[in-house]
Amino acid sequence: GAAGADGNANVKSFKFTVTNSQWTIFASDTWQYFYNCPAITQDILDNGMVMVYWDANNLSVAHPTNYVPLPIIPFQISTRVLSTSWQLNTLGNGTVTVGISDGAAVPITAQSDLQFKIVVVDGTARKANPGLNWNNYDAVKSALDLKE
């Protein structure tokens, strides 16, 4: 997907869309997508933080914002109860993996396009916002002056 607009100098945000054909499928009940985010440096890993949010407009559960922090365990799309996750590549090369899985080992069917946001915060910005609710994307967007 395409990168989103940068936030302030100490924070970068990236928006990307995963289409149904872009998922890597494992055993039909676990889907993963790998997003390369070069803004995630060793300094970010050591001193900053990375948040991953999902545009959850199609969730049946109410949330205070459309962007919900991952992981979401469980969530429901139609009659399916699924789980989401994310992880950083252990090699530290800035790759973020987002995933969807079915805990009952039932194959996942085609999904509509799903949008995600990654917010990369350096140590200075993280420490300057000790009371910020990082799980509320709208609060993060406002406090850190993120641009859509």
Side-chain angles (χ1 to χ4, degrees), residues 34-110:
F34 306 94
Y35 180 81
N36 184 25
C37 188
I40 303 172
T41 63
Q42 190 62 49
D43 185 56
I44 295 295
L45 296 174
D46 292 343
N47 302 301
M49 66 183 297
V50 177
M51 293 293 297
V52 179
Y53 301 90
W54 177 25
D55 183 351
N57 282 320
N58 59 344
L59 290 181
S60 59
V61 179
H63 292 279
T65 176
N66 286 341
Y67 282 97
V68 180
L70 296 184
I72 304 171
I73 304 171
F75 71 94
Q76 188 166 342
I77 295 180
S78 187
T79 60
R80 299 292 301 275
V81 177
L82 304 172
S83 297
T84 63
S85 63
W86 77 275
Q87 66 183 20
L88 292 172
N89 183 301
T90 56
L91 300 177
N93 67 0
T95 299
V96 172
T97 304
V98 293
I100 300 175
S101 62
D102 184 303
V106 176
I108 298 172
T109 57

Side-chain angles (χ1 to χ4, degrees), residues 134-147:
W134 296 98
N135 290 322
N136 183 323
Y137 177 75
D138 289 338
V140 171
K141 177 183 171 185
S142 176
L144 301 178
D145 192 30
L146 297 180
K147 307 296 182 205

Side-chain angles (χ1 to χ4, degrees), residues 19-42:
T19 65
N20 190 62
S21 64
Q22 291 177 307
W23 292 100
T24 299
I25 301 173
F26 300 95
S28 77
D29 65 342
T30 301
W31 292 20
Q32 291 183 331
Y33 178 78
F34 306 94
Y35 180 81
N36 184 25
C37 188
I40 303 172
T41 63
Q42 190 62 49

Side-chain angles (χ1 to χ4, degrees), residues 10-11 43-44 46-49 121-132 134 144:
N10 299 326
V11 180
D43 185 56
I44 295 295
D46 292 343
N47 302 301
M49 66 183 297
V121 182
D122 78 2
T124 303
R126 181 183 60 82
K127 291 174 187 170
N129 293 280
L132 183 57
W134 296 98
L144 301 178

